[in-house]
Amino acid sequence: MNMALMHILFIAIVISTANAKEGDFPSLDCKAENLGQYGQQSLLECVIKNPKEDTSILMVSWKKGSRTLLLFRNGAIQLQEPGFLFAQASWNASNMNVSLLITNTAVAHQGRYKCDVMTNNSPPPTELIKISLKVTAKYSKPTLTLKTDGTLTCASNGGYPEGQLRWSNERSAKLPNDPQTQATQTNSGLFQLSSKLVVGKESSVSDFTCSVFNASGGREEESQFQVKDEPKTEEQRKELDTATKIVAPVVVIGSLIAGLLLALLIYRRRSQNNRRPSTTPLMRGHVGVPTSDEVMMEEGDDKYPDNTA
Ligand SMILES: *[C@@H]1O[C@H](CO)[C@@H](O)[C@H](O)[C@H]1NC(C)=O
Ligand SMILES: *[C@@H]1O[C@H](CO)[C@@H](O)[C@H](O)[C@H]1NC(C)=O
């Protein structure tokens, strides 16, 4: 006997025992937690498991609270709220997929649902099946507006559940005095978020980012704003200040150098004038006496007649 055959046999046994355990009666199997997006279709999934060959559906009822949304009984749909239908197109009593489709999901659709099914060969329902729908809506890209009072306002709308706005700039991921997010709920149940930041104090920083985070802490969108008014002019003023601080020493040093050059020029000219007529008598007013350095040295060697006398 080869291994493949043994494998197949083993699988066949596993399947048959599993069927024997669950397969006594058809039962309803529903997805407990369903997610829906605002404005989109949502699916609440329920399927009859282990149907027999002759299983046919006698009754299906979908309820939210005490309100009946969809009711099939006596071979026909008896009640149907607008926007709620069987997920399977052209559903009939022999279709075991009794999932509910919500065509245009709203925040109000969030909550607990109940599905009851009766078939020709199912036992009376014994346990309540829990089905819930969670609705989410994406927040819009934040809009940033600067007011004349120096506050930068960030706003993001149309999200659900309640989210948060956070500020950051090129220096820090989170501003130290991060302002609180104001949240208001519109009639549709969606949230409008806004947050005000005073930008006058942050004069050296000009790029602000406002990010919107959803209820589970995921960043959804962000926008940047460059503050061009007060902080910018202050910055320019600072630049001007540093410019004059640089220019002033340059002027002082420049004039100093110019003065030195001038002095050097005058000195050189004067010394040249002194040296050229070195052979002609000129110095110390002793007219007619040779006053060149060599002559004076020779005289000096000769026992300093002038000083020692
Ligand atoms: C039930 O029907 C819906 C809509 O056609 C489908 O998305 C879903 O996968 C079906 N579920 C099962 C278990 O077949
Ligand atoms: C939050 O945002 C993250 C990242 O974009 C996303 O994966 C998650 O599904 C969102 N959660 C909700 C509740 O919207």
Side-chain angles (χ1 to χ4, degrees):
M1 202 192 244
N2 63 35
M3 285 296 284
L5 204 65
M6 271 176 72
H7 224 98
I8 289 162
L9 208 68
F10 176 75
I11 289 164
I13 289 162
V14 167
I15 288 168
S16 64
T17 51
N19 273 349
K21 267 181 194 167
E22 295 173 12
D24 290 343
F25 298 103
S27 62
L28 190 62
D29 186 43
C30 297
K31 199 175 168 191
E33 296 204 337
N34 302 271
L35 296 174
Q37 278 230 322
Y38 184 89
Q40 311 264 304
Q41 293 189 338
S42 292
L43 182 70
L44 301 181
E45 211 175 335
C46 280
V47 177
I48 295 167
K49 272 175 92 179
N50 309 316
K52 304 200 169 188
E53 261 172 44
D54 67 334
T55 297
S56 112
I57 295 165
L58 302 177
M59 190 275 287
V60 179
S61 134
W62 273 101
K63 282 184 179 180
K64 184 174 195 285
S66 59
R67 181 173 157 222
T68 303
L69 306 167
L70 185 61
L71 178 64
F72 171 86
R73 198 197 273 155
N74 300 331
I77 288 172
Q78 307 287 334
L79 192 154
Q80 184 167 25
E81 287 268 322
F84 299 92
L85 50 121
F86 281 111
Q88 292 266 300
S90 61
W91 180 87
N92 63 56
S94 62
N95 190 334
M96 298 300 136
N97 186 340
V98 295
S99 302
L100 180 75
L101 186 79
I102 302 170
T103 56
N104 185 6
T105 307
V107 172
H109 291 145
Q110 182 161 268
R112 277 273 152 79
Y113 288 77
K114 214 174 120 195
C115 181
D116 286 314
V117 171
M118 222 189 290
T119 72
N120 58 333
N121 48 21
S122 62
T126 50
E127 58 181 323
L128 215 69
I129 294 165
K130 286 186 177 126
I131 306 158
S132 73
L133 177 68
K134 271 189 186 168
V135 176
T136 59
K138 280 213 171 288
Y139 281 92
S140 65
K141 196 173 168 66
T143 53
L144 289 150
T145 42
L146 184 68
K147 299 230 171 91
T148 46
D149 63 354
T151 59
L152 191 58
T153 304
C154 176
S156 174
N157 301 327
Y160 190 88
E162 189 175 336
Q164 237 196 348
L165 296 174
R166 281 180 219 159
W167 294 92
S168 58
N169 58 38
E170 60 263 42
R171 273 201 215 142
S172 53
K174 191 177 188 291
L175 296 188
N177 48 355
D178 207 8
Q180 278 211 312
T181 303
Q182 306 288 319
T184 54
Q185 214 166 358
T186 60
N187 287 339
S188 61
L190 301 177
F191 284 95
Q192 293 187 328
L193 307 177
S194 78
S195 180
K196 272 184 198 171
L197 183 76
V198 181
V199 292
K201 290 170 189 167
E202 305 269 352
S203 55
S204 56
V205 181
S206 55
D207 270 325
F208 293 94
T209 303
C210 178
S211 312
V212 60
F213 288 78
N214 67 21
S216 34
R219 190 204 305 261
E220 287 199 343
E221 295 274 357
E222 64 173 42
S223 294
Q224 281 196 342
F225 193 91
Q226 199 174 42
V227 177
K228 291 188 183 111
D229 287 336
E230 263 221 282
K232 192 77 190 208
T233 52
E234 215 167 281
E235 220 172 58
Q236 283 170 343
R237 211 175 299 145
K238 265 185 199 162
E239 271 169 24
L240 263 172
D241 272 356
T242 48
T244 50
K245 270 173 200 158
I246 291 167
V247 164
V250 164
V251 167
V252 169
I253 290 165
S255 48
L256 260 168
I257 288 167
L260 277 169
L261 280 171
L262 203 71
L264 202 72
L265 214 72
I266 290 165
Y267 175 75
R268 277 194 70 184
R269 184 151 295 169
R270 195 176 282 168
S271 63
Q272 271 176 2
N273 284 345
N274 288 350
R275 224 168 256 174
R276 202 179 294 136
S278 59
T279 45
T280 60
L282 228 165
M283 297 287 277
R284 292 175 197 171
H286 298 283
V287 183
V289 181
T291 51
S292 84
D293 289 343
E294 286 135 36
V295 171
M296 279 179 75
M297 285 288 269
E298 279 165 14
E299 278 177 359
D301 279 342
D302 216 68
K303 291 185 179 177
Y304 309 100
D306 286 334
N307 291 336
T308 46

